[in-house]
Amino acid sequence: MRIVLLGAPGAGKGTQCKRIVDRYGLLHLSSGDILRQQRAEGTELGGKAQKYMDSGALVPDQIIVEMMADAIKNAPDAGFILDGFPRTINQAAELDKSLDCSGQKIDAVLNLEIDDEVVVRRMTGRRSCPQCGAVYHVENLKPKVEGICDNDGTTLVQRSDDSAEVVANRLKTYHLQTEPVVDYYKKNSSTVYDIDANKDVDGVSASVLEKLEALAKA
Ligand code: ADP
Ligand code: AMP
């Protein structure tokens, strides 16, 4: 299966991907995680992305498209799930072109629909583990010991772009540049499933897995 998971920043894409990957053995490719990794390693790519990420803008398409095409090459036969990519119509068209070259296509698009107020609460309360990448929430998904990762005991951190000011910019960017990607896929005949992402994690997972089960059987 080759799947795209769309949705506003903070909609719960990473959280749902973890569950999907555990079940179907897909490669989880989060463009945001890859960029943060590049920044942590101090690479040229990470350096180029920094100012865009810090302000809540999108990193230029050309950089992202090349980065993701490279990552997709390493996907297992089971397939992959893209999280946070594509984020512009141009990125979606470039992805289609590059998959087409190897006789592949996106099988389904899961579109997490969520209200802006809920997104703001989710992003400002998000905490993550700098060691293993696990994601928690100060109210919704608490670790067993406050501020400490359940997996490895590392102190949890808040992403610098989850501050209220940058979150507002990221939401604006989403509505302007990324929401139109849903229509792109609806027009270009990939199967698009709209999912209510305002529900709790288990509620969203149940909807997501129901769609994917149907797809796996088809
Ligand atoms: P994204 O990958 O779309 O940016 P995340 O998966 O990191 O979003 O989720 C954003 C925040 O919201 C995290 O703190 C996560 O723990 C929390 N979260 C995710 N899904 C839900 C949900 N369905 N209900 C409540 N909180 C959630
Ligand atoms: P995320 O972790 O998905 O919220 O992404 C964090 C930041 O990385 C975004 O605010 C963008 O600056 C950048 N980014 C991630 N994915 C993309 C993408 N597909 N296109 C452009 N910029 C991206």
Side-chain angles (χ1 to χ4, degrees):
M1 284 197 282
R2 298 180 196 95
I3 297 171
V4 168
L5 189 55
L6 291 178
K13 300 184 296 297
T15 303
Q16 294 302 326
C17 276
K18 171 91 187 67
R19 293 175 173 216
I20 296 168
V21 163
D22 287 349
R23 194 173 175 117
Y24 295 102
L26 307 177
L27 178 65
H28 174 202
L29 292 173
S30 154
S31 46
D33 283 351
I34 297 174
L35 289 168
R36 280 184 287 279
Q37 181 72 32
Q38 294 284 332
R39 283 181 65 172
E41 288 170 10
T43 65
E44 194 187 339
L45 170 59
K48 281 187 192 157
Q50 185 165 346
K51 65 173 183 229
Y52 303 101
M53 296 173 79
D54 287 347
S55 68
L58 294 184
V59 176
D61 285 346
Q62 200 194 338
I63 296 178
I64 294 290
V65 166
E66 273 175 30
M67 178 185 94
M68 294 307 283
D70 250 13
I72 287 172
K73 280 188 200 142
N74 300 319
D77 290 342
F80 54 77
I81 181 156
L82 301 177
D83 161 5
F85 172 81
R87 248 173 159 106
T88 63
I89 289 181
N90 183 37
Q91 290 180 15
E94 289 297 324
L95 172 64
D96 277 350
K97 260 198 245 165
S98 108
L99 290 175
D100 198 39
C101 284
S102 47
Q104 299 180 341
K105 66 174 181 53
I106 295 299
D107 299 308
V109 176
L110 301 170
N111 176 36
L112 299 187
E113 297 185 301
I114 187 161
D115 300 336
D116 283 4
E117 315 83 75
V118 182
V119 157
V120 171
R121 283 201 298 277
R122 285 196 190 167
M123 283 203 276
T124 51
R126 171 162 52 193
R127 300 291 183 272
S128 32
C129 174
Q131 190 64 34
C132 72
V135 175
Y136 302 86
H137 190 279
V138 290
E139 286 162 8
N140 305 335
L141 285 157
K142 296 181 184 179
K144 291 190 187 99
V145 178
E146 193 184 327
I148 302 293
C149 180
D150 291 347
N151 300 332
D152 50 32
T154 305
T155 300
L156 301 178
V157 295
Q158 181 171 27
R159 274 170 52 174
S160 57
D161 60 347
D162 277 344
S163 67
E165 193 195 353
V166 183
V167 161
N169 279 340
R170 289 163 71 200
L171 260 177
K172 265 192 223 151
T173 303
Y174 168 75
H175 289 302
L176 207 65
Q177 294 183 266
T178 307
E179 232 169 20
V181 175
V182 178
D183 281 336
Y184 169 89
Y185 280 116
K186 286 186 176 165
K187 281 189 198 132
N188 286 277
S189 83
S190 296
T191 310
V192 180
Y193 299 110
D194 291 326
I195 289 167
D196 178 5
N198 292 300
K199 294 184 285 188
D200 65 15
V201 176
D202 288 341
V204 180
S205 289
S207 308
V208 164
L209 294 177
E210 184 201 335
K211 307 295 181 205
L212 292 183
E213 280 303 300
L215 192 72
K217 281 187 199 141

